[in-house]
Amino acid sequence: MHPTITGSVNNSGTLDLTNGSGSPGNTLVINGDLNSVAGIARLMTRLNEGGSLSNQATDNLQVLGNTTGTTFLDITAASGSTGAQTDTNNNGIADSNEGISVAQVAGTATADSFALLNGYAAAGPWRYDLYSFAPGSSDASQRRVAGSSDNQYWDYRLANSYINEDGSTGGTGGRLAVIPQVPAYITAPVGLAYYTAAIVDDLHKRLGDLRQQKAYDNGVGGEMFVRYVGSTLEHKSDLSFKNFSYNLDIDYNALQLGGNVVKLDGASDSLRGGLAYTRGRTKLTPHAVDGYSNTVFNSDSIALYSTWLRDSGFYVDGALSYDWHRGETDVSHQKTVGKLKARGWSASVESGYPFILQNDVRLEPQAQLTYMRLNMDDFTDQDGARVQYDRYGQTIGRVGVRVDRSWSDGRGHLFTPWLRTNYYHGWGSNAKTNVSAAGGGGGRAATPLKVVALVRCGKWVRARR
């Protein structure tokens, strides 16, 4: 389709160049002015490396007159979009003969006569920005618009975005930019690992001093507990910026309800068994110069646990938990750009022994070993990015010490302030994420982004009181 409109066009709606065909190559020529009042032009483009006109498969808009206002380009990635690097001379800058020309103006225009509707175009994980080249800086060999064969025309081109660690663009010290939701997808397993480690916690936090009470006879029935878990922390990645490393703000909270259903007392020890249900919420916000994104997970967990306790205070505690996670990722211009689902399980064994010091101060060394397994579902988001996760498993070791002292106020109320310090270390596989283009209609899919995120709850010293 190659229509020509003679006369000026006033656009406050949508100019659809795609013709509903699903293939690029359509042209709209306006033999007059284009006046836009928040108008949109819809184009289909094969987002590849571009370059020579023969290697550009795109709908394009040509204005022989002048432009006023800003026309927002709604770019759909065509089949065969590879997201290939447009910077063919590797200088980190979009040059006038690189990328893909989507609009040209022979008359008067400005740098913002055209802009991308959502701020970017996407080929799988890769971000394309719109670059404008004024008359004299455009390239004569790229000219489509009629009127002459020189470089005295405005050219608006799609090209890869290059970004540096400080957020600046251009130069050879950075890397290709990704669409803003990709950092959220990469860091999602990291945040869920922290959440899982928090809810499968130690005996003191789950039962407190209820473990010292013998309020019930042997058999079925026993203590109930309700506890709240919440924390705000920052995960710092060990990877480099060029390897798509992102630090991560983690804000989680959970309410846990449970209790012992079996309690057996011996002459000098006791055995308890119970179950717990946990409902939690985790908000993950990566530190990403690629753009703002965040993911919120709602999680449900069922846990079984058993505790063997000696009268001396020595204990061995085991827990087995199964978890369900449902998340939504938002970016600045769109809510719920992606929906994430995951399932996982974890097993934990912990032991500790208290030593009684002067003034009834109790010092309790503790050790804990936890294994967690996380399976995240593959999905396709609203930008057509296909996200796939490898199964992730990790073992986390903890050694720590707790100091406390209990006293009564004389009215039967028991108070136990405490201080605990822990050291964590993790072993096992890393969280691996693969982001590519969905479908492709038989064409070559976009070059995938494969990222390994180090999830180390380890080398983390934490003090609580």
Side-chain angles (χ1 to χ4, degrees):
M1 183 180 74
H2 306 284
T4 296
I5 298 176
T6 300
S8 296
V9 173
N10 299 314
N11 181 24
S12 58
T14 300
L15 299 172
D16 192 345
L17 279 66
T18 63
N19 195 30
S21 64
S23 59
N26 303 299
T27 300
L28 174 61
V29 177
I30 299 176
N31 189 4
D33 297 338
L34 173 61
N35 305 306
S36 178
V37 181
I40 295 172
R42 185 170 295 140
L43 292 77
M44 180 170 287
T45 301
R46 183 171 299 147
L47 295 171
N48 58 5
E49 67 273 20
S52 65
L53 290 178
S54 62
N55 196 40
Q56 298 179 38
T58 181
D59 299 335
N60 65 92
L61 178 61
Q62 301 172 20
V63 181
L64 301 184
N66 306 317
T67 64
T68 62
T70 299
T71 298
F72 294 95
L73 302 179
D74 183 5
I75 305 292
T76 299
S79 172
S81 294
T82 63
Q85 181 171 315
T86 58
D87 184 23
T88 55
N89 61 5
N90 297 311
N91 66 352
I93 300 172
D95 294 319
S96 60
N97 62 345
E98 294 178 330
I100 305 161
S101 177
V102 291
Q104 295 183 359
V105 179
T108 301
T110 64
D112 59 359
S113 290
F114 294 90
L116 294 176
L117 181 61
N118 293 321
Y120 62 88
W126 306 114
R127 172 179 177 138
Y128 282 70
D129 286 337
L130 188 68
Y131 297 86
S132 62
F133 296 90
S137 65
S138 54
D139 190 288
S141 68
Q142 296 288 316
R143 182 160 186 156
R144 286 193 176 104
V145 66
S148 180
S149 59
D150 57 22
N151 67 349
Q152 297 302 306
Y153 70 101
W154 282 89
D155 194 8
Y156 301 85
R157 308 180 67 84
L158 293 171
N160 292 138
S161 177
Y162 288 83
I163 197 162
N164 301 308
E165 193 166 4
D166 62 2
S168 62
T169 58
T172 58
R175 58 160 172 78
L176 287 174
V178 293
I179 55 179
Q181 61 266 41
V182 166
Y185 300 155
I186 292 172
T187 56
V190 178
L192 290 180
Y194 275 93
Y195 172 81
T196 301
I199 64 170
V200 183
D201 212 335
D202 64 290
L203 180 65
H204 280 292
K205 291 186 63 179
R206 188 172 64 247
L207 290 177
D209 287 329
L210 288 177
R211 69 176 189 169
Q212 300 295 346
Q213 298 178 9
K214 296 184 178 181
Y216 298 93
D217 296 329
N218 289 351
V220 177
E223 306 95 346
M224 300 293 295
F225 66 88
V226 177
R227 74 181 181 102
Y228 171 83
V229 179
S231 184
T232 298
L233 52 94
E234 181 182 2
H235 165 82
K236 291 187 177 295
S237 175
D238 291 344
L239 299 177
S240 69
F241 172 76
K242 289 188 175 183
N243 286 325
F244 299 91
S245 166
Y246 301 101
N247 293 339
L248 178 67
D249 288 335
I250 304 171
D251 184 2
Y252 66 83
N253 56 79
L255 185 67
Q256 187 175 78
L257 171 67
N260 297 332
V261 295
V262 175
K263 178 174 181 290
L264 302 174
D265 286 333
S268 59
D269 58 3
S270 64
L271 180 67
R272 303 181 184 194
L275 58 87
Y277 166 74
T278 304
R279 174 74 179 198
R281 179 182 185 274
T282 308
K283 181 178 181 180
L284 308 174
T285 307
H287 299 187
V289 294
D290 302 274
Y292 170 80
S293 64
N294 77 80
T295 301
V296 175
F297 281 100
N298 291 304
S299 304
D300 296 282
S301 304
I302 296 292
L304 301 174
Y305 62 84
S306 179
T307 305
W308 177 59
L309 175 66
R310 299 280 296 177
D311 288 348
S312 63
F314 174 76
Y315 69 91
V316 177
D317 178 57
L320 178 65
S321 176
Y322 193 86
D323 315 306
W324 297 265
H325 310 283
R326 302 160 308 283
E328 295 183 350
T329 296
D330 298 338
V331 294
S332 58
H333 69 272
Q334 183 177 356
K335 291 184 65 66
T336 317
V337 69
K339 293 187 176 181
L340 294 77
K341 293 182 180 180
R343 301 165 309 283
W345 62 271
S346 56
S348 176
V349 177
E350 178 193 331
S351 183
Y353 182 83
F355 295 90
I356 307 302
L357 307 180
Q358 293 182 351
N359 300 316
D360 294 326
V361 174
R362 185 167 59 180
L363 176 71
E364 183 178 89
Q366 301 172 342
Q368 183 178 9
L369 194 64
T370 301
Y371 177 79
M372 64 178 67
R373 186 78 172 182
L374 181 66
N375 298 324
M376 299 195 66
D377 292 352
D378 301 338
F379 68 96
T380 300
D381 76 2
Q382 296 297 315
D383 278 340
R386 179 67 176 167
V387 184
Q388 298 171 293
Y389 295 98
D390 284 4
R391 291 184 178 181
Y392 162 65
Q394 189 175 50
T395 301
I396 299 174
R398 176 182 70 88
V399 292
V401 62
R402 168 174 158 145
V403 179
D404 65 47
R405 185 182 186 277
S406 300
W407 77 86
S408 174
D409 62 0
R411 294 182 294 178
H413 298 153
L414 185 66
F415 300 90
T416 307
W418 54 271
L419 174 68
R420 189 181 69 181
T421 299
N422 294 316
Y423 174 84
Y424 292 81
H425 187 76
W427 305 268
S429 63
N430 299 317
K432 298 179 181 179
T433 306
N434 183 17
V435 187
S436 60
R444 181 182 166 201
T447 305
L449 169 66
K450 298 181 180 180
V451 176
V452 175
L454 297 180
V455 185
R456 291 180 180 169
C457 294
K459 298 185 178 178
W460 170 25
V461 178
R462 179 176 62 181
R464 290 184 175 178
R465 56 178 178 169

